[in-house]
Structures are given as structure tokens and as C-alpha cells.
Amino acid sequence: MKKLSTIQLLTAFALCTALLASCKKLIDVDAPGVLEEKNMYRNVYDADAAIIGLYGRFLTLAENYVVLNELRADLLTTTTNANENLIQLNRHDVKTGNPYANPKPYYDVILNCNDLLYNFNQMLAQKTLNQTQYNMRYADVASLRAWVYLQLGIHFGNVPYISNHIPSVTSLETLMQSDAAKPIAFSALLDSLISLQESLPYMDPYAAGTDLVTTVDGYSTAKFFINKKVMLGELYLWRGKNNDYNKAATVLKQVMETGGTGDFFTYRITGASKGDNNDLAVGYIRYNELDEYSLINNNSQGWRSIFARAEDRLFGYEWVWYLPYNSLFQPMNPFTKLFATNFLLKPSQQAVDNWNKQVQKNNFPYDARGPKFSYTMVGSEPQVSKYGYNANTEKWFLYRAAALHLAFAEAANRDGHRAIANALVNQGIQPTLGNRITNEGGPYLFDARKSDNPQVAADWYLNNGLRGRANLYTVPITTDSTIAIENMIVDEAGLELAFEGRRWSDLLRIALRRNEPAFLADKIYDKLRKQNDPSAATVRAKLMNKENWYLPFKW
Amino acid sequence: MASRDTLGFSNPAAIIQSMTSNNTSYRFVGGVTFNYQLSNSLTLGTTIAITSQKNRENFFIPERGIAPDTLFNGTLARNRSGAQVIKAFNTFNDTRISYYKAFNKRNQLNVKAGVRYNKTNGEQDYGLGFNSATDQLTGVGYGLNTLRQIGGSLGSATWLNMYVNADYNMADKYFITMANALDASSRFGHKIEDAGIEIGGRRFGVFPSVGAAWLISSENFMAAAPAINLAKLRVSYGITGNDDIGNYTARSYYVSQNLLGVAGLVRGGIADERLQWEQVSKLNLGLDLALFNERLQITADVYSNKTSNMIVYEPGPAITGQEYIIKNSGAMKTNGWETAITGLLINQNKFKWQLGFNIAAYKTSVTELPAGSFITSYAGGNTITSVGNAPNVFYGYKTNGVFSTDAAAAASGLRTKNADGSSTAFRGGDVIFSDNGDKIIDENDMQVIGNPNPDFFGGINTKLTYGNWTLDALATFSVGGDAYNYARRQLESQSGYANQTEAVMRRWRTDGQQTDMPKATWGDPMGNSRFSDRWIEDASYLRLKTVSLSYKVPIKPTALKYIHIYATGNNLITFSKYLGYDPEFSAASGIYGQGVDTFLEPQYKYMQLGVRFGL
């Protein structure tokens, strides 16, 4: 009997052991410190959290964006404090290991974009997202990914286009073996991005009422998200094939008319409000226009307030897309370090000269957007001031109405509507083209009529043009050619959008379009020459070869 | 009390007097074992143990006398406070069955099989506060709301091990041990391929081992050698594995990423779901000898360990955007030997003298590193891990003294690379760095400049007994290990206002002066104090670790069984050329900090005088 009980016990013991071993639950533990894959993407709130996280990560690209797009171009240069990495960028002599030439931060955002897009598809299939929720979110993330890829293309030329999610190292190894991991040409990249962007199911900003559109820490999130139509328009401008310019003008025009009929202000670039100066224009106190010190130069009025004003009505007239910095939250504003505290970068002599070549309508021999607003003299050195006017409104400038109008003008000019392009950049539709409807068909219909009898106030009658808003005379166009107007548009972009991270892409796009390396090379040459940089001629020779327009994709 | 000085340096007295720093730890260990004798040869047993541990730490650094710190957003932290709680709870169970059988009195079989299970839960929470209104308000809660930082982490892991061991003893001459273990851990990936075996949907690592020993002295032919009391030859081979790969490394997960004050979620890297145990195969050969009535005992071992599937942080491909991807792709080998000799030199009734000596040495070298060598920075110094070398050897610049004249410096043509990419020529009083031939001293001139692992190490112990008096002594030594004296680098850099050692008195001052100490320069633009062999020192030492003299008071053992009076001295003398406080500094717990002396607390010299009563 005792023997039997032994055997029974043994059997019981063996069973217990087997049970222990087979019970996966015994081994597996939940991961309390992190959110496991299986617990993610269960509902729309998870999807929204992923989008918030994505934009949080995206914010880390800000420094690279401004440094690469400005320092490689002609308006920004290094100070004596700058380190080797910045100097290499300035001289187009980037060596392996330069952290600004590291594509990884971009691909980190892309990895997250791909993860979101894949999971949104899964969620739609599982009906944890409904079609409307899916459309808005998918389009947003896909557009942001297009933005990041466009930046990669601009700076690295041929880059791998990864559009699949990479869930694990196993799938990464498969991917690395496949052709998808190989770089593709910039033109092929644009084709892929455009065909996806055209197919997006939703092109408007998040609808009001979506949880993502809310107020956090005092900021409205409505303009935190990329504008999908602007993205598409920019892509068309980059490709410039067939009727891409017309398509670009069409989508950009839709954004320009965001406010709809009866909104004379939103994204329409209106002029100075001379009576009270509550505007976004370069203005002076009324009847004191000839007094330099009566310049409207504060954080809540005039052109400077574009960068420094609180989020109010006028803020909404100009800003299309921005992301704020706040000293209470990471990451810290990287521009303070670059332009002020460490003073690593400063406006180039070329940029200073460009502004000083302009003449204001009060005949001051400069463009106040430069010496008064974009930079200030600290001792004998110019210091970029756009980013530092108001500690409470620091932000990454991503897109504003001025860039929108310049992009539209660029498209219109190439699409054969030079007069409209010229009007938008100079003094506005009505002042240039008259009190009428510019009925040139499609996106080129601007109703700029204004009359008291019959009472008509059309949507575009207050448009004052970029130079009109900046209180500048019209640029005389000696030869009314597409090229001349395009040059004027690029020059104006340099004056208006300097240091906002758009310059290199503007120069590169035009040089690519015209297949004219000298267009780009001469501008960089002038910058270096004016600061007596001994490498100026070498750099020019280098940039005459298209291959050298791109950073080495080695990491 | 004086405040901080005009140069912004804290008053050390303020730190000693008014800084508070408390650490309280509680630890509970409880265990219970049941054994049930099923029959004469079978025993069923189980052990259940729990460990609960809690550490509470808090500190306060006042404003007065102490230089302010700068926070991430540029705010000056005038005073600082912090509190941290770390909790760990561990449950362990070992249930086994053992079988013992003696065959014809001379052969014995002992088999044990069982299951071990371990579950750990950890939690860490901390808060940091800054700028409370006065130095009297020392809690984290008094700091400014806007600056307060809180954080923490949670960890959880389980480990399951099934094992079987069999010992067979044949005629007290031949001993055979065989063991096998199957290990599973929550840390292992879910998609391990080609390794271990799968049980119930989980991969288990298989870790067999086998050992044999031959007691030669029990053989009949050894009767001819009566001087040999014991001779035992041992050999063993086994494979072990560990799950020390991070709690969630093998899983795909999401981590928090803020946008302003809103918490969002982003991918936490790309996980390798095949991540498995690091595996070590160990081969050991040993000999035990006891001679002359066991008055001389010798133990010697040689071993060879091969580590495979070593965890490596491989740089991620650019298209992943990841700095690192963690993989099981490295390999390493360690060969070593150790030996110990103990002799009872004098063995009289009243007077006994025993002397022991042990020495050991090992060599480790990395054998596989698919992603190439990598450099790790710690305390301003670099270590490199590369194939063919020990892991984490010091990697920096070699120096050859100091230029005594400007002319000599100019003749060498050497220049240092500046932060902006330009270069500046060295001059008299600058350090002569070894150059690879391009005349520019930059990161390409870095080389291996030291190895923190000693060539050999060991100890000497002795015990002298005379009547009721006993003298014990232990000395330890270590030879050939290098240390990076970060503390001395701070004290001899001569680049700022900080206090320096007397050695800087002999610094270079005039052209033609022959010295080994470079000139003092504000900010050190030439990088004379860069991480070089100037700061690498030989940390060999011989240290009298303990000396103890005790006296047994002669009493009649009654209720009071004995009285011992003793005096012990610890760390009394150290012979070393090391210039820091202590060549045997307690190294950091991580492997990267090995051999780096970051002002680590020296082991202090102390004496104990005591009486021990036996009841």
C-alpha cells in the first residue's frame, strides 16, 4: 500500500512539473513599464495617442531642418563659435560622421509613420476605427511621412523609400535583403509620394470635434498638424511635369481660400491697418511714416507680430502649420541655442545686402523685414531675431500664408499666368490688376472687386501682395518672362521667409527645374565670397556638379 | 559659514554641514522548506522563499554655499531636493524529488530532479524638486511646481528552471556527475529559432553538464606513496545560460513621447523577438592534492569559458532610424587558471603556523562582433570593445612627455584639431601626443592605452597560534591592472579655477624647461588634458587587508563557554604606485565603469578592539 502511494505521489509530481512547464502564463509576464504591442491600437484614443507621439517625435527634426535648409543655402552662415560640423555644411564639404548629415532621425519618424499607417489599416479592418476616423488620421500621417521623405530627398538625393512597417528584427532582415532597402532616385521618390498623396481619402484639416483638435497647455492644436493640400502642392512644384503646375495652383488655391466666401483675411495677405496698426504688415504710426522710430515694432502689431503674437485672430490669418516650444516641456527650443545663447549661426552678408537693396514706400533704403525684424545687430554682428521675440510664443515655423502665396505664384508663373504671380508677390490683385475678376479660368479666378454701388466686397479685394504688405515698391520686371518672374519670386521668398528653413529647398528646386547648376552655385558663391571665405571658388566649382548638391547617405 | 566663492565654486564645508542625504533600506527574507521522506531512497521536498526589499533615499542640497546647477530649460537650480523609493518583491520556489541508493555498500547513486520558479517585481519612483523658498524647506513638495520632475519604472520577470542532477560514486574512487537543466524566462523572445527545445509554446534553453573526478589516492597502487594523502583529478564541462538581457528587450512595445504636456506613444525601437540567453560553455580541469599528513594542500584549476550569443548593441541600419538594435551576435572567450597552496609549516602542540598562498589569472578576448568594434564613453574617457581584445579596454591618446621649447614643438610639426575643424600648432609646454603620421592630432590617433584587467591577482594568509594567542593576517595583491584616474585628471588639468594637486607646481613655465607637467592654460584649448595615458596608471598593489590578534582567556567552561579578546586592524598598509586614494577602489557596478576612479571612496583603515563571550 505504501508503494502505491509513492507511485501516486510520483505521478502527481510529474504532472505538476509538466503543468508548470506547459503553462505559458506562468512564464509570460505583462510588461508594466511599457505598453506592449498587443495592448496598443485598440481604439481611436490609442490611434490619437500615437499621432500625438508621432508629432512629439517629429519636433526633434526642427534643428536639423533649419540648419540644413538655411546653412547650406545663402542667407545664413557660421559665427566664430561654430563647430566643425556646421562649418562643413556652410562650405558644402560634409564629412562622414557629421551629425547633421545623419538620416536616422528622419527615418525614426518614418518608422513610426509606417507603424501608424499599417495599424490604421488593421484597425479599419477590425472596425475599431470607422471610415471617417480612419480617413482623417491616415491622411494626416501619410502627409507627414511625405514631408519627411521630401526633406530626405532634398538633402540626400537618392534615398531608400520604406513604406512598410518594420515590426521586428526578423522583418527588418528580410527588408534589408529586398530592393525596397535600396535608394531610389529623387524623381522616382516624388512620383511615389505624389501618387500616394493624390490618393488620400481626406485632404482637409481635422474636422472640429475630433479629439485631436483641442486646447493643450494654452495652445490650440488645430494648426499642429500638417496641411495635406499644401503638401500635395509642394510635391507638384518639385516634380513640375506635364500639368503639375496647374495641379499645384489648384490645390494651393483651395488652401488660400480656406476661409471661404466672405472671409477677406485668412491666408489672403492683406495690407496694413493704418489707423490702429493691428495688422501683420510693415507699418508706421500714421502721419509719422517718415520717422524711422515710428516703425510698428512690437510683439502684438505689425510684421514682427507674425512670429511673436499670441494665438489670436490675426495669428490664424497667417499661420498654416507650426509646433510650439514651451520651457516647461521637452524638447527645448533648439533655435535659442543656435541663434542666441551659443550664437553659432548668423545672417550672411548676402542676406543683409539683399534687404538693404530694397526701398520702402517711405523711401527708406532698406526692407524693414530684415534689419528691423529678421535680425538685430548685437555689437557689430547681426543676430537672427525672428525666433526670439517672445518667450511665450516660441515655435518651429513650418508653414505660413506668405509661403503659400509664393508657392502659388511659382506655380501660376510656370503655368503661364505670370500677371497673377506678379500681382500676388508685389502689390496684390486689385492694386495691380484692377478692380475686377481675374477670370483666367480654374485656380486663376480671383474676385478682387470692391464697389459701394452696387455694394460688392469680393473675397480678394483686400489682398495687398507680399511686397505691398512689406511696404515695398514693386520690383521692376525688365523682361516679362517666366524666368524673370521666377527669379523675383525666389528673391522675395528670401526676404520674407529668411531663416525659416525654406531657402535651400527653394534654390534647389529652381536649379533642378531649370537644370541650371549656376543658379544655385552662384548664390552660395556670393555668400562665401562676401565673407571672404577662401573656399568660395572651390565651393562654386563643386556645386556646378549636381552630384554635390546632396549630402552623403552614409551612416 | 562662507558662501560659495567668487569663482562659483561651492564651499566644501557647506556640503558637509548642510547637505542631507539619507538612505534607508528594509529587507525581509523568509523561507520555508518541507521535506517528505517517501521511502528509504526517495525524498520529496519543496522550498518557498520570498524576499521583499525597499529602499528609501532622499537628499537635499541647499542654496547657501553651493554653486547652482542649470536645469534642462536653462533655469538655475538654487537648491535641489530628491526622493526615491525602490521596491523589489521576489518569490522563489524549488520543488524537487531526490533519490538515493547505495549499491553493495561501495557504489552510490544520488539523483535529484526538480523545478525552480522565480518571479520578480520591481518598482522605482522618484521625484526631484528645485528652488524651494528657503533652505529650511527640504522636501520635494516644497520645490516650484513648474520645475518638479517625477518619474519611475516598473519591472517584472519570471524564470522557470527544470533540472535533473545525477551523482554516481563508484567505490569512492570514481565520481561522475551529470546534470541537465531547461530554462525559460519571460525575458526570452517569443520567436527563438534553432536553439533549445520548445515546451508548451515556449523555448527552453538546454544546459547540460558533465563532470568526472578520479580519486587517485584511493587506488591500490598509490599505497606505495604514503606521502600523498589525497590526490584528486577533476574534469568538468557544462553549458550555462543567463537571462540577463533586460526585462522587455525581446518584445515590441510602445513608450511615452510627449507633445507639450500631452503624452503620446511611439515605438520603443525594433525588438528582436528571437532574443535568447547568452550561453557560456565552461571546461574546467582541476587537481586537489594533500601531502605529508595533509600538512600541505594544493588545489589547481585551469578553465576555458566560451561565451556565445553575447548581447551586442549593434548600430541600426539608417532606414530604421534606430541608434541601436540589440542582438545575440557577439562571442567571447576567457581562459584562466587559479591555484592555492596551504601549508601547516609548524605543527606543535603549543605552536602552530599555517601559511597560505593563492594566485589566479585570466585572459578575456572578444572573438565575434559582427557590427565591428564600438567605443563607450564613461567619465570623459573612452573604452573600446573590439575583436581580439578584452572588452572595454581604455582607448585614448598616447603621450611622450611635454615639449620643452617652442622650437621643439615647431620642429615636430604637430597640430591639434579644433572644434571648428581648423588646427593649431602645439607649442612649448604642450603635451607630445603620438601621431599616426598625418601631423594632426585627432580621433584617428586614439589607440588602446590600458587594460583594467589585472595580469594576475591573489592573496597570502597566515595564522600563527601560540598557546592561547592567535595571530591572523591576510594580504591581497593584484598586478598589472590599469586604472583611469579621473580624479587626478580633474586635479591636474590646469584648465580652470578648480583646486589642483601639488604636482602642478612643476608645470612648464619657461622655454627650455624640462618637465612632465604641461603648462596651465585657461580652458585647455590644446587638449593637453584630453583622455590619454597621462591618466592611466598601473593599479598594482599589495595590501595588508586584515591583521587580527586574539587571546583566549583561560576559563573553566561553565555557563560561559569562552571569552575571546581580540584586536583587528583593516587595510593597514598598502604598497602601490597608484596616485589616487586607493588602487582597490570599488569599481562601478556596470562593466563600463571598470577601472575608472571617479573620486570613489577609498577603503578606509580601521581598528577594532573587542571581547567575544560564548554562552
Side-chain angles (χ1 to χ4, degrees), chain A residues 445-457:
Chain A
L445 188 149
F446 287 84
D447 187 349
R449 290 171 301 154
K450 171 80 171 101
S451 82
D452 295 331
N453 192 14
Q455 201 171 25
V456 178

Side-chain angles (χ1 to χ4, degrees), chain A residues 306-383:
Chain A
I306 291 175
F307 310 98
R309 69 185 310 124
E311 283 179 43
D312 57 4
R313 214 161 32 88
L314 268 69
F315 181 93
Y317 294 163
E318 181 73 12
W319 284 101
V320 180
W321 185 24
Y322 80 100
L323 282 165
Y325 290 102
N326 186 307
S327 67
L328 298 181
F329 305 105
Q330 295 278 20
M332 285 300 102
N333 181 348
F335 308 119
T336 315
K337 173 192 76 177
L338 288 173
F339 298 129
T341 47
N342 294 1
F343 191 45
L344 303 174
L345 302 174
K346 64 174 184 184
S348 67
Q349 189 57 45
Q350 168 90 331
V352 171
D353 290 351
N354 286 346
W355 279 305
N356 288 341
K357 264 191 283 187
Q358 312 301 317
V359 180
Q360 291 192 165
K361 286 181 181 165
N362 51 6
N363 292 326
F364 291 167
Y366 57 73
D367 176 349
R369 288 179 298 179
K372 302 296 173 193
F373 299 131
S374 293
Y375 71 90
T376 44
M377 295 304 288
V378 176
S380 61
E381 298 228 72
Q383 190 168 317

Side-chain angles (χ1 to χ4, degrees), chain B residues 411-490:
Chain B
S412 77
L414 291 179
R415 305 174 73 83
T416 187
K417 194 167 139 189
N418 300 323
D420 64 359
S422 62
S423 63
T424 310
F426 285 100
R427 302 185 59 190
D430 286 325
V431 171
I432 310 170
F433 292 102
S434 288
D435 179 49
N436 59 1
D438 64 0
K439 299 284 179 197
I440 300 283
I441 301 299
D442 59 7
E443 58 272 16
N444 297 323
D445 296 304
M446 300 211 319
Q447 48 185 303
V448 173
I449 54 173
N451 184 345
N453 299 299
D455 294 340
F456 56 89
F457 56 95
I460 302 163
N461 61 72
T462 179
K463 185 173 183 172
L464 214 62
T465 312
Y466 184 78
N468 286 336
W469 293 89
T470 306
L471 179 70
D472 274 306
L474 170 68
T476 57
F477 62 87
S478 167
V479 175
D482 293 321
Y484 161 34
N485 194 341
Y486 169 82
R488 189 165 66 83
R489 183 173 172 191
Q490 299 309 302

Side-chain angles (χ1 to χ4, degrees), chain B residues 489-490 492-498 500 519-525 529:
Chain B
R489 183 173 172 191
Q490 299 309 302
E492 291 181 9
S493 284
Q494 309 174 78
S495 63
Y497 295 130
Q500 303 283 291
K519 62 189 173 192
T521 43
W522 175 253
D524 193 17
S529 67

Side-chain angles (χ1 to χ4, degrees), chain A residues 420-437:
Chain A
I420 287 179
N422 181 45
L424 286 171
V425 174
N426 279 302
Q427 307 299 333
I429 301 287
Q430 197 197 54
T432 319
L433 303 172
N435 191 346
R436 65 182 181 94
I437 304 174

Side-chain angles (χ1 to χ4, degrees), chain B residues 90 110 128 143 190 252 260 284 294 409 433 449 459 470 473 539 611:
Chain B
N90 192 67
N110 203 338
L128 297 170
H190 280 266
S252 298
L260 295 172
N284 190 92
E294 303 200 354
F433 292 102
I449 54 173
T470 306
V611 186

Side-chain angles (χ1 to χ4, degrees), chain A residues 511 515-525 540 543-544 549:
Chain A
N515 194 16
E516 186 189 332
F519 178 81
L520 183 89
D522 285 344
K523 288 204 158 52
I524 314 300
Y525 172 71
R540 184 183 185 281
L543 290 176
M544 288 305 288
W549 291 353

Side-chain angles (χ1 to χ4, degrees), chain B residues 366-380:
Chain B
V366 175
T367 52
E368 263 179 66
L369 219 50
S373 57
F374 58 89
I375 293 172
T376 318
S377 294
Y378 184 79

